[in-house]
């Protein structure tokens, strides 16, 4: 029988719940995707088993797609009570998913963002910290001619600290 609190990965740490929201999403520098048969793209944001995605948007001639949605994920962040300075790393993954004319989907590229970096800002007075990210994607081998990036603004809002 397992005792509560013994062997826990977060023993002796404070738990905080944050709502992370993405605004101003744009997929850029995608010249060449239409040549490979893609008609649209979407952005998928994943953390553990939780994920959220944008709607598919058609490719434009200027190789930029803007998404007018605000995906949100809720995550628990942990830090030690004694030091109380920095939160443990909390990686999340952004994917650019392409859609072909036959409705099949392919992951075009991925990148990882540490959500704890947003709330580890030393300015504790800022209640809703945000940062603008320009993420270069690690592209899949099938799309070697394409280099893409995702531009977005990531914000955090503390839901409540646990006692």
């Amino acid at each position: 029988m397992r005792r509560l609190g013994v062997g826990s990965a977060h023993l002796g740490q404070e738990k905080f719940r944050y709502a992370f929201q993405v605004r101003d999403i744009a997929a850029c520098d995608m010249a060449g995707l239409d040549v490979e048969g893609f008609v649209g793209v979407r952005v998928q944001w994943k953390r553990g088993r939780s994920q959220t995605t944008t709607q598919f948007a058609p490719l434009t001639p200027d190789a930029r797609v803007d998404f007018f949605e605000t995906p949100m994920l809720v995550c628990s962040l942990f830090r030690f009570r004694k030091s109380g300075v920095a939160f443990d790393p909390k990686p999340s993954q952004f994917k650019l998913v392409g859609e072909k004319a036959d409705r099949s989907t392919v992951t075009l590229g991925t990148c990882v963002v540490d959500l704890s970096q947003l709330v580890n800002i030393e300015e504790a007075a800022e209640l809703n910290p945000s940062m603008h990210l320009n993420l270069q994607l690690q592209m899949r081998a099938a799309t070697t001619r394409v280099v893409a990036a995702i531009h977005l603004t990531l914000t955090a809002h503390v839901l409540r600290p646990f006692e």
Side-chain angles (χ1 to χ4, degrees):
M1 186 169 133
R2 183 177 171 184
R3 290 188 289 169
L4 292 176
V6 176
S8 173
H10 302 291
L11 187 63
Q13 292 183 325
E14 292 178 293
K15 180 179 181 180
F16 292 83
R17 300 274 294 169
Y18 278 90
F20 292 93
Q21 189 174 33
V22 176
R23 295 180 288 117
D24 308 325
I25 307 170
C28 303
D29 306 328
M30 296 184 302
L33 281 181
D34 53 348
V35 175
E36 295 187 18
F38 291 98
V39 295
V41 293
R42 75 173 177 208
V43 175
Q44 181 181 38
W45 183 24
K46 186 175 182 180
R47 165 68 201 140
R49 292 184 303 238
S50 301
Q51 76 174 16
T52 182
T53 60
T54 62
Q55 297 293 324
F56 274 103
L59 291 176
T60 59
D62 64 350
R64 177 185 171 98
V65 177
D66 291 312
F67 298 92
F68 302 101
E69 302 164 53
T70 55
M72 185 176 81
L73 286 178
V74 176
C75 298
S76 298
L77 295 176
F78 298 90
R79 69 177 177 194
F80 283 105
R81 293 173 198 231
K82 300 245 182 211
S83 64
V85 177
F87 287 98
D88 288 347
K90 192 64 107 170
S92 69
Q93 183 181 55
F94 285 92
K95 288 183 183 180
L96 185 64
V97 179
E99 179 181 13
K100 294 196 173 191
D102 62 354
R103 295 284 187 214
S104 63
T105 60
V106 175
T107 299
L108 301 174
T110 60
C111 64
V112 176
V113 174
D114 185 5
L115 298 177
S116 67
Q117 295 300 315
L118 180 60
V119 294
N120 280 339
I121 298 172
E122 292 186 20
E123 302 167 3
E126 190 172 0
L127 295 177
N128 296 317
S130 67
M131 67 176 151
H132 186 74
L133 300 172
N134 296 318
L135 307 171
Q136 292 295 324
L137 298 174
Q138 298 291 327
M139 301 305 284
R140 299 287 176 152
T143 58
T144 54
R145 295 182 306 232
V146 181
V147 176
I150 299 175
H151 304 287
L152 54 88
T153 302
L154 183 63
T155 60
H157 174 71
V158 65
L159 296 177
R160 73 171 223 230
F162 287 84
E163 299 298 329

